[in-house]
Amino acid sequence: PAYKRARRAAPATSHAPAKSINVSGMAKIVYETILSFGDRGCIADHVCDALPEYRYNTITPRFKALIEKGLVIVDDRKIKGGSGREQRVMWAKEFYHGETLTR
């Protein structure tokens, strides 16, 4: 639903674009990008770098939905991102093996 894609207190100019986003289409694009990293996995920065035509705040909300659907797996492993903060490593379900992978 569009109400989940814009803050309640956000101006009307934020609500209109939120209603126009194709959630299932964007989730598919993000999933296919995560899938492209194979068994190496990826972090949010990697996905955003691979999709420069989309904004960070369009890409990152899709992670939760993909995880909840069981299409993307995360565990306790993290990698330092461009900001210096650690980010969770994500894998498409078919590439997740559970053992520690080296990057």
Side-chain angles (χ1 to χ4, degrees):
Y3 74 88
K4 289 186 176 184
R5 292 179 253 148
R7 294 180 323 276
R8 186 177 305 165
T13 54
S14 295
H15 288 275
K19 290 178 183 176
S20 70
I21 294 172
N22 181 348
V23 174
S24 61
M26 192 65 218
K28 182 179 179 188
I29 291 167
V30 172
Y31 173 71
E32 289 173 349
T33 303
I34 294 169
L35 185 67
S36 73
F37 285 92
D39 64 358
R40 294 175 297 143
C42 61
I43 59 174
D45 282 0
H46 298 148
V47 177
C48 291
D49 290 347
L51 298 170
E53 64 275 19
Y54 298 103
R55 296 178 63 143
Y56 177 86
N57 60 351
T58 298
I59 296 168
T60 57
R62 309 301 169 243
F63 300 148
K64 181 180 178 186
L66 293 169
I67 292 165
E68 288 176 351
K69 290 179 182 180
L71 297 170
V72 171
I73 307 293
V74 295
D75 61 18
D76 59 347
R77 286 175 267 185
K78 295 181 179 183
I79 294 175
K80 199 173 282 193
S83 68
R85 299 182 80 181
E86 291 188 334
Q87 299 177 13
R88 297 183 303 174
V89 180
M90 301 176 281
W91 294 266
K93 181 180 178 179
E94 52 267 41
F95 288 108
Y96 180 73
H97 304 295
E99 70 271 2
T100 302
L101 301 174
T102 57
R103 302 257 312 123

